[in-house]
Amino acid sequence: MSGQTIKYLLQERDIPTHWINLLPDLPGEPLPPLHPGTLQPVGPDDLAVIFPMSLIAQEVSPEAEIEIPEPVREAYKLWRPTPLHRARRFERELDTPAHIYYKYEGTSPAGSHKPNTAVAQAYENAQAGIRRLATETGAGQWGSALAFACSLFGLECEVFMVGSSYDQKPYRRSMMQTWGATVHRSPSELTNAGRANGSHPTGSLGIAISEAVEVAAQREDTNYSLGSVLNHVCLHQTVIGQEAIAQMAMAEEQPDVVIGCVGGGSNFAGLAFPFVRNVLRGGARMRFLAAEPTACPTLTRGAYRYDFGDTAGLTPLMPMYTLGHDFVPPPVHAGGLRYHGDAPMLCGLVRAGVIEARAYAQNDAFAAAVKFARCEGLIPGPEPSHAILAAIEEAEAAREAGEARVILFGLSGHGHFDLSAYDAFLAGGLEDPEFSEADMQAALARLPEVPAIA
Amino acid sequence: MSGQTIKYLLQERDIPTHWINLLPDLPGEPLPPLHPGTLQPVGPDDLAVIFPMSLIAQEVSPEAEIEIPEPVREAYKLWRPTPLHRARRFERELDTPAHIYYKYEGTSPAGSHKPNTAVAQAYENAQAGIRRLATETGAGQWGSALAFACSLFGLECEVFMVGSSYDQKPYRRSMMQTWGATVHRSPSELTNAGRANGSHPTGSLGIAISEAVEVAAQREDTNYSLGSVLNHVCLHQTVIGQEAIAQMAMAEEQPDVVIGCVGGGSNFAGLAFPFVRNVLRGGARMRFLAAEPTACPTLTRGAYRYDFGDTAGLTPLMPMYTLGHDFVPPPVHAGGLRYHGDAPMLCGLVRAGVIEARAYAQNDAFAAAVKFARCEGLIPGPEPSHAILAAIEEAEAAREAGEARVILFGLSGHGHFDLSAYDAFLAGGLEDPEFSEADMQAALARLPEVPAIA
């Protein structure tokens, strides 16, 4: 491999100037979100209690491109552009004629793609005169990103962290505190939702969301912030795919397949949507592959229904593949993929056949991650390990076909805070928890009746 | 700051082609290392039991530049070139006219500068037909780097990890295992040194070194590998400073002062020596500042003596500032700075007045790190936090002088595995352990009598 290029590196001036909004390019009229109380379409005013108008405008914008505010672009410069790697050692290990590329988002201060939207949201809230953002966090990835972003724009950050994670993952908590955030163990004594759930000492994501939303709704100077699923979150993440397009051009290749893991969908959207738009506009054909865990198989086994974005049923209902908002996925270490639904834009594209989806078992994903780490050095987070496994399958298919196919996958974050999971895997003690079809059907049966979906 | 450059980014083709060997540029004749048994100068053959001849040749080379083997340069491409940042937010926070730059080595897979030498050593050993490298590790930073490097060149890696760290830092152990290394809790049952020290269940760095050296000396196919102090280790690290010189040129500035933290000295040497050579050869004058902990003040309070490189007294004696090889520094979280001596080349330059040294208390260093993290995002390791504090002092001096001085410091690694220390600091529970002058004097009194140093 002497003299061969491994990384395709851009300069700061190559950081995108606009986000790509896929909404106007999607086939058909988008289905509106519904008010959780009235089940009627929500208007901007319904959302203004917890979001600034500028983000609400982005959520429903008909513009194909939205300019990135200069202060956000300046904040991106702290770690962007991120590298695109050609995984040459991994290709040799897999003995494949495929060319495997990966876009690495783990160089951000918080260690994942999450800050791409966190800094945008913190900026817009600061511009709107908001003094404080409240949010929930499970494993801590989103809370870390928002804590970092708030430190850049002089906002206070209040994070309600699921009690069991608060106890088991003290390092993510310390990380948020290092950036100046206040971290509450949820359920807390600070909110009605917390006090009402004092009998659940380990907490849940649903309770933590309820606490954060309550704080945001009650305090004039406080807003709520969400790390995935919504259109404006997917929008902010499209800096990833735009950079990747420029970097693939440096490599003088076009991907045959673009792969990402899917939890709420914003990581996948960020990498894939700029490529998807080219395809929808008649550009060169390519495949898109979403990788999810068998323990939480939203896209591969869920129903396409209107459902709440959160476990507690406080947010608007959105049209998406879902396992039912109160379905509790069995525990897997890829905490970021344990979400009952998926971003409506992404779900629409899966339904339209533009995006394929596959589900993978936890042990298989970790085996792929270890194989990758021993070739490429980087230790992947458990979430993107699912994308690595999908890339391995595609590389094997290319070998069987005898074709030098081009594979691009998203390595959305590192696994520095997930080494106990690696330890369990290497010791042979990692479980592959079963998904319960019956529990999903029961959860789906509890969904409210809403207007029929076309 | 709109439109201002924050990061200066090189391309893969800018990775240096040669390492810089400062040895021939140093004033005076270098003092030879002495055999630990005979106290006479050691020859290459004495070292060949545990090191390959190619590294021994680098250790004593009279050449000013040594070509980097192409496979090592290819391995560097996995994460190099590393970014150089202008810390504009930090400058504003400090209200200083100084321009502050930092070279960030935390983007390597192992999270620090250590892989720069680990891959070079693994390569040379693989070329020499060696099948396995043995080493010791305390906090785990060096063991991680060598485990990563061995995975790239098909070598087995056997790490003897200090027992107390093995128990308290399971994540670093899991990281090494993920890269395929075998990690032994030291003292182990595998070596004479381990068995003889069974009564020290928590182990020590000295015991771990003894175990690794014993394994390397006894097995034909196994060598030993050292992560700092030696000339060839400092040599390999000079890729850092060479890149920084190119990046400062992109910024169209010259540092007035170059700052780094010092444990064994290889991080400092890596950044500073390429600049030092320019100064020694009559280039523009600049200052060099080594930052160390008050708990282990080798350069600021140690004696310039011949001493063993290791705690156990197995390695050759080298001329250096030392606290005495069996002096036990009090525990601080900057485990990488708890070394009794320092690289002989670095010590010679401190003695010659080319490099200044300052010592900092642990709590002050963490306060500097938190201030930095809230401006620049990145969470520094405890070791480079000492360099950050030195940079703050220099920035304040620039403000007092009303001069736009240019400060460059090395951010040698991230703090993702040190968040328990941040937690203790933020909770106000971090100690500033006392250095004992009496203990140092006692340790120095135990040094063997050697030929007088000129």
Side-chain angles (χ1 to χ4, degrees):
Chain A
M1 60 190 280
S2 176
Q4 292 180 322
T5 306
I6 288 183
K7 292 191 308 305
Y8 295 89
L9 300 171
L10 302 169
Q11 293 290 334
E12 283 186 351
R13 60 176 173 273
D14 304 315
I15 295 173
T17 57
H18 292 71
W19 292 303
I20 287 184
N21 180 22
L22 200 60
L23 214 48
D25 279 270
L26 291 179
E29 277 294 300
L31 295 165
L34 306 181
H35 192 283
T38 65
L39 301 185
Q40 295 302 308
V42 295
D45 290 348
D46 294 313
L47 300 170
V49 180
I50 56 171
F51 293 122
M53 284 309 284
S54 54
L55 290 181
I56 296 169
Q58 290 178 6
E59 184 69 17
V60 298
S61 171
E63 303 296 330
E65 301 199 333
I66 294 174
E67 190 171 2
I68 302 175
E70 193 57 28
V72 174
R73 218 164 158 270
E74 292 289 340
Y76 282 164
K77 289 183 187 176
L78 289 173
W79 76 96
R80 304 206 70 85
T82 61
L84 180 116
H85 291 241
R86 170 89 182 266
R88 295 186 187 270
R89 289 171 189 270
F90 197 43
E91 291 170 14
R92 283 202 300 278
E93 170 71 20
L94 298 174
D95 189 24
T96 178
H99 297 185
I100 304 177
Y101 294 85
Y102 60 94
K103 177 74 169 164
Y104 183 46
E105 290 290 305
T107 57
S108 81
S112 78
H113 64 293
K114 293 283 187 192
N116 293 329
T117 187
V119 295
Q121 293 189 44
Y123 168 75
E124 295 295 352
N125 277 286
Q127 286 295 103
I130 289 295
R131 280 191 45 225
R132 187 185 300 108
L133 286 178
T135 198
E136 77 288 342
T137 202
Q141 190 64 260
W142 170 242
S144 302
L146 196 66
F148 156 63
C150 284
S151 80
L152 298 184
F153 293 105
L155 292 174
E156 292 176 33
C157 184
E158 216 160 310
V159 182
F160 290 87
M161 188 171 187
V162 176
S164 55
S165 295
Y166 185 96
D167 300 336
Q168 291 163 17
K169 303 213 167 190
Y171 301 131
R172 275 283 174 194
R173 170 176 56 73
S174 304
M175 197 174 198
M176 294 183 256
Q177 290 167 333
T178 297
W179 282 314
T182 303
V183 185
H184 304 296
R185 190 186 183 288
S186 172
S188 79
E189 285 295 314
L190 299 167
T191 66
N192 292 326
R195 288 186 291 269
N197 283 285
S199 58
H200 300 288
T202 57
S204 73
L205 208 51
I207 299 169
I209 292 175
S210 304
E211 292 206 83
V213 170
E214 182 180 326
V215 163
Q218 283 182 349
R219 295 196 215 146
E220 191 89 2
D221 62 354
T222 304
N223 266 346
Y224 175 70
S225 192
L226 199 64
S228 190
V229 182
L230 298 181
N231 294 345
H232 71 268
V233 181
C234 294
L235 174 81
H236 299 153
Q237 294 291 357
T238 59
V239 290
I240 303 172
Q242 291 183 74
E243 288 181 7
I245 285 175
Q247 289 163 311
M248 290 302 301
M250 290 168 79
E252 300 181 348
E253 299 221 82
Q254 277 268 31
D256 292 303
V257 57
V258 178
I259 300 170
C261 64
V262 175
S266 72
N267 158 64
F268 185 92
L271 176 63
F273 280 9
F275 289 99
V276 169
R277 183 168 82 169
N278 291 347
V279 170
L280 292 178
R281 290 183 175 185
R285 289 181 60 175
M286 59 185 73
R287 292 166 51 227
F288 300 95
L289 177 51
E292 62 181 14
T294 51
C296 189
T298 312
L299 296 173
T300 50
R301 297 183 64 177
Y304 191 72
R305 295 280 296 272
Y306 261 107
D307 196 359
F308 302 101
D310 67 318
T311 310
L314 291 168
T315 72
L317 293 96
M318 293 171 288
M320 57 184 178
Y321 286 96
T322 180
L323 306 172
H325 63 278
D326 60 2
F327 171 84
V328 180
V332 286
H333 287 280
L337 305 187
R338 287 182 73 232
Y339 181 64
H340 66 274
D342 273 327
M345 280 204 285
L346 169 59
C347 291
L349 288 163
V350 170
R351 198 154 180 251
V354 176
I355 296 172
E356 308 159 42
R358 283 188 215 147
Y360 296 104
Q362 170 157 272
N363 272 293
D364 295 339
F366 270 95
V370 168
K371 185 177 285 196
F372 178 83
R374 291 182 184 177
C375 294
E376 301 292 315
L378 299 171
I379 295 180
E383 293 85 358
S385 299
H386 293 72
I388 294 172
L389 180 47
I392 291 175
E393 285 189 349
E394 292 293 319
E396 286 169 351
R399 185 181 59 216
E400 278 159 32
E403 292 177 9
R405 293 178 190 161
V406 179
I407 299 166
L408 168 63
F409 73 87
L411 187 60
S412 55
H414 61 62
H416 297 172
F417 297 94
D418 305 284
L419 283 161
S420 62
Y422 277 90
D423 199 35
F425 170 73
L426 292 168
L430 204 60
E431 291 190 359
D432 278 322
E434 286 280 326
F435 167 73
S436 165
E437 174 83 22
D439 286 358
M440 173 186 77
Q441 294 299 347
L444 291 173
R446 287 188 291 270
L447 294 189
E449 290 283 331
V450 297
I453 297 177
Chain B
M1 59 190 282
S2 176
Q4 292 180 325
T5 305
I6 288 183
K7 291 190 309 306
Y8 295 89
L9 300 171
L10 301 169
Q11 294 290 334
E12 282 186 353
R13 61 175 172 273
D14 304 316
I15 295 173
T17 56
H18 292 70
W19 292 303
I20 287 183
N21 180 22
L22 200 59
L23 213 49
D25 278 270
L26 290 180
E29 277 294 300
L31 296 165
L34 306 181
H35 191 283
T38 65
L39 300 185
Q40 296 303 308
V42 295
D45 290 346
D46 294 313
L47 299 170
V49 180
I50 56 171
F51 294 121
M53 284 310 285
S54 55
L55 290 180
I56 296 169
Q58 290 178 7
E59 184 69 16
V60 297
S61 171
E63 303 296 328
E65 302 197 334
I66 295 174
E67 189 171 2
I68 303 175
E70 193 57 30
V72 173
R73 219 165 157 268
E74 291 289 341
Y76 282 165
K77 289 184 186 176
L78 290 172
W79 76 96
R80 303 207 72 85
T82 61
L84 181 116
H85 292 240
R86 170 89 182 265
R88 295 186 187 272
R89 290 172 188 270
F90 197 44
E91 290 170 14
R92 285 202 299 278
E93 169 71 20
L94 297 174
D95 189 25
T96 178
H99 297 186
I100 305 177
Y101 294 85
Y102 60 95
K103 177 73 169 165
Y104 183 46
E105 290 290 306
T107 57
S108 81
S112 79
H113 64 292
K114 292 284 186 191
N116 294 329
T117 187
V119 295
Q121 293 189 46
Y123 169 74
E124 295 294 352
N125 278 285
Q127 284 297 101
I130 288 296
R131 282 191 45 224
R132 187 186 298 108
L133 286 178
T135 198
E136 77 289 341
T137 200
Q141 191 64 257
W142 170 242
S144 302
L146 196 66
F148 156 63
C150 284
S151 80
L152 298 184
F153 294 105
L155 291 175
E156 291 177 34
C157 185
E158 216 160 311
V159 182
F160 290 85
M161 188 172 188
V162 176
S164 56
S165 296
Y166 186 96
D167 299 337
Q168 291 163 19
K169 303 213 167 188
Y171 302 131
R172 275 283 174 195
R173 171 176 54 72
S174 304
M175 197 174 198
M176 293 183 259
Q177 290 168 332
T178 297
W179 282 314
T182 303
V183 185
H184 303 295
R185 190 185 184 287
S186 171
S188 77
E189 287 293 317
L190 300 168
T191 66
N192 292 325
R195 286 185 293 269
N197 283 286
S199 58
H200 300 289
T202 57
S204 73
L205 208 51
I207 299 169
I209 292 175
S210 304
E211 293 206 83
V213 170
E214 183 180 325
V215 163
Q218 284 182 346
R219 294 196 216 147
E220 191 88 2
D221 62 353
T222 305
N223 266 345
Y224 176 70
S225 191
L226 199 64
S228 192
V229 182
L230 299 181
N231 294 346
H232 70 269
V233 181
C234 295
L235 173 81
H236 299 153
Q237 294 293 354
T238 58
V239 289
I240 304 172
Q242 292 183 74
E243 287 180 7
I245 285 175
Q247 288 163 312
M248 291 302 301
M250 289 168 78
E252 299 181 349
E253 299 221 83
Q254 276 268 29
D256 293 303
V257 59
V258 177
I259 301 170
C261 63
V262 175
S266 73
N267 158 64
F268 185 92
L271 176 63
F273 280 8
F275 290 98
V276 169
R277 183 169 81 169
N278 291 346
V279 170
L280 291 178
R281 291 183 174 183
R285 289 182 57 174
M286 59 184 73
R287 291 167 51 229
F288 299 95
L289 177 49
E292 62 181 14
T294 51
C296 189
T298 312
L299 296 173
T300 52
R301 298 182 64 178
Y304 191 73
R305 295 280 295 273
Y306 260 106
D307 197 359
F308 301 101
D310 68 317
T311 309
L314 292 169
T315 71
L317 293 96
M318 294 172 288
M320 57 184 177
Y321 286 98
T322 180
L323 306 172
H325 63 279
D326 61 2
F327 171 85
V328 180
V332 286
H333 288 280
L337 305 187
R338 287 182 72 232
Y339 181 65
H340 67 274
D342 273 328
M345 280 204 286
L346 170 59
C347 291
L349 288 162
V350 170
R351 196 151 181 254
V354 177
I355 296 172
E356 307 162 42
R358 284 189 214 145
Y360 297 103
Q362 171 158 272
N363 271 291
D364 295 338
F366 270 95
V370 168
K371 186 177 285 196
F372 179 83
R374 291 182 183 177
C375 294
E376 300 291 317
L378 299 171
I379 296 180
E383 292 85 358
S385 299
H386 293 72
I388 295 174
L389 179 47
I392 291 175
E393 285 188 351
E394 292 293 320
E396 286 169 352
R399 186 181 57 219
E400 278 157 33
E403 293 178 9
R405 293 178 190 162
V406 178
I407 299 166
L408 168 62
F409 73 87
L411 187 60
S412 56
H414 61 62
H416 297 173
F417 297 93
D418 305 284
L419 283 161
S420 62
Y422 277 89
D423 198 36
F425 170 74
L426 292 168
L430 203 61
E431 291 191 358
D432 278 324
E434 286 279 328
F435 167 74
S436 165
E437 174 84 21
D439 286 357
M440 174 186 75
Q441 294 298 348
L444 290 173
R446 288 189 290 269
L447 294 189
E449 292 283 331
V450 298
I453 297 178

